[in-house]
């Protein structure tokens, strides 16, 4: 299965900051480019952290106001999160303000993998690295959603080629494949139940597929057959089909 790679949808012109970039310059970069975050790199273009609008807001919120009475000491200030907030309230540079380590993704990873990383870490963008761990791009949630704009005809052709022909060794027109707005409908009669399950499972994994509707039927229910018996039975069936 060929999944689209992160490198095919990432933005290569990346707005970035260095460790010593002043706080106000970071704010200017975010506002001028209308972005909500950016990576921080070292002299070797390796990502050492990321800055989001949340980091800037935290800096402003935690900064003491001369007009207000001094806040009383709180136990929460001794926690790891409390120490981070305190440090960011005094931040004057990108390096002091950034969150580290940075959550990143490699250009040769799939869009599916990038989406999982975003969901797991609850971030909206990922710096993209090359094989030498250097920054080569940035990918956002909006970029990843481009996969769902894939034409129905492209999805249809991949289902036929990758699932039916290459994986299941079936004739291209042995199963009817129709795609409407990313919803794939599979119709037809197959030899074994396990084949119908494979067809549906693999189709779901294709880039751009929103859902799969199965109208597949089967001659043999092999769900109760042990793996060794199933393999032997499959070989016999394939041999008989050629007769």
């Amino acid at each position: 299965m060929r999944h689209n790679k992160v490198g095919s949808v990432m933005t290569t012109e990346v707005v970035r900051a260095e460790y010593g970039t002043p706080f106000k310059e970071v704010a200017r970069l975010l506002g001028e480019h209308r972005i909500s975050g950016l990576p921080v790199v070292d002299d070797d273009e390796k990502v050492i952290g990321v800055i989001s609008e949340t980091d800037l807001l935290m800096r402003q919120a935690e900064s003491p106001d001369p007009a207000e009475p001094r806040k009383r000491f709180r136990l929460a200030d001794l926690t790891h999160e409390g120490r981070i907030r305190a440090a960011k309230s005094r931040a004057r540079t990108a390096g002091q303000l950034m969150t580290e380590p940075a959550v990143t993704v490699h250009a040769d990873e799939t869009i599916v993998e990038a989406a999982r990383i975003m969901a797991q870490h609850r971030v909206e963008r990922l710096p993209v690295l090359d094989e030498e761990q250097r920054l080569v791009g940035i990918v956002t949630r909006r970029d990843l959603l481009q996969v769902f704009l894939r034409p129905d005809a492209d999805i249809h052709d991949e289902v036929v080629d990758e699932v039916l022909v290459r994986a299941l060794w079936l004739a291209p027109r042995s199963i009817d494949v129709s795609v409407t707005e990313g919803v794939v409908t599979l119709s037809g009669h197959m030899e074994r139940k396990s084949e119908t399950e494979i067809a549906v499972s693999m189709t779901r994994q294709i880039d751009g597929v929103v859902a799969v509707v199965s109208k597949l039927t089967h001659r043999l229910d092999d769900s109760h057959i042990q793996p060794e018996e199933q393999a032997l039975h499959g070989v016999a069936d394939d041999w008989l089909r050629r007769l």
Side-chain angles (χ1 to χ4, degrees):
M1 300 283 289
R2 297 190 301 272
H3 290 287
N4 286 336
K5 304 297 183 179
V6 171
S8 68
V9 297
M10 70 182 184
T11 299
T12 55
E13 296 182 4
V14 187
V15 180
R16 67 197 74 188
E18 297 179 350
Y19 189 93
T21 302
F23 174 89
K24 283 195 173 183
E25 176 64 11
V26 173
R28 185 191 68 78
L29 287 171
L30 294 180
E32 182 178 305
H33 295 277
R34 297 182 179 181
I35 53 178
S36 59
L38 52 76
V40 182
V41 299
D42 61 14
D43 294 337
D44 198 31
E45 285 297 303
K46 293 185 177 179
V47 179
I48 56 177
V50 292
I51 295 176
S52 69
E53 289 177 330
T54 302
D55 294 318
L56 272 72
L57 292 174
M58 182 183 297
R59 196 270 193 204
Q60 294 301 95
E62 294 295 325
S63 297
D65 187 341
E68 293 183 357
R70 187 175 181 180
K71 294 181 180 180
R72 294 184 178 181
F73 173 77
R74 298 172 298 179
L75 290 177
D77 295 334
L78 296 177
T79 64
H80 178 67
E81 291 76 11
R83 291 195 296 272
I84 290 176
R85 287 196 301 269
K88 290 189 176 184
S89 70
R90 301 186 296 271
R92 296 184 179 181
T93 66
Q96 296 169 339
L97 186 66
M98 69 184 184
T99 297
E100 55 180 327
V103 180
T104 61
V105 68
H106 284 84
D108 60 354
E109 292 188 76
T110 67
I111 289 176
V112 173
E113 290 168 336
R116 287 173 182 162
I117 293 173
M118 280 190 181
Q120 180 181 352
H121 294 276
R122 298 179 180 180
V123 294
E124 296 183 358
R125 62 183 37 77
L126 295 170
V128 184
L129 312 181
D130 63 12
E131 295 178 353
E132 297 180 349
Q133 310 303 315
R134 291 188 174 89
L135 180 68
V136 292
I138 197 87
V139 65
T140 66
R141 290 182 179 179
R142 180 175 296 179
D143 296 327
L144 299 186
L145 288 175
Q146 289 183 20
V147 70
F148 292 107
L149 301 178
R150 190 180 185 193
D152 289 342
D154 289 355
I155 296 174
H156 171 276
D157 292 345
E158 186 167 348
V159 172
V160 172
D161 185 53
E162 296 291 335
V163 179
L164 301 185
V165 177
R166 294 178 180 271
L168 296 173
W169 291 13
L170 298 173
R173 297 184 180 180
S174 59
I175 298 298
D176 181 65
V177 179
S178 64
V179 186
T180 305
E181 297 293 328
V183 178
V184 180
T185 301
L186 303 175
S187 306
H189 187 72
M190 304 184 78
E191 188 66 20
R192 296 184 290 273
K193 182 180 180 181
S194 59
E195 290 178 331
T196 66
E197 294 171 345
I198 291 171
V200 171
S201 177
M202 291 188 68
T203 300
R204 284 200 183 106
Q205 297 176 49
I206 289 177
D207 293 336
V209 172
V210 176
V212 179
V213 177
S214 176
K215 296 182 179 180
L216 298 172
T217 59
H218 54 273
R219 182 184 70 82
L220 173 67
D221 184 354
D222 57 348
S223 58
H224 62 284
I225 300 176
Q226 296 298 321
E228 295 81 2
E229 298 177 60
Q230 192 172 29
L232 182 59
H233 193 84
V235 170
D237 276 355
D238 289 338
W239 180 75
L240 285 173
R241 281 189 217 174
R242 301 192 191 102
L243 297 179

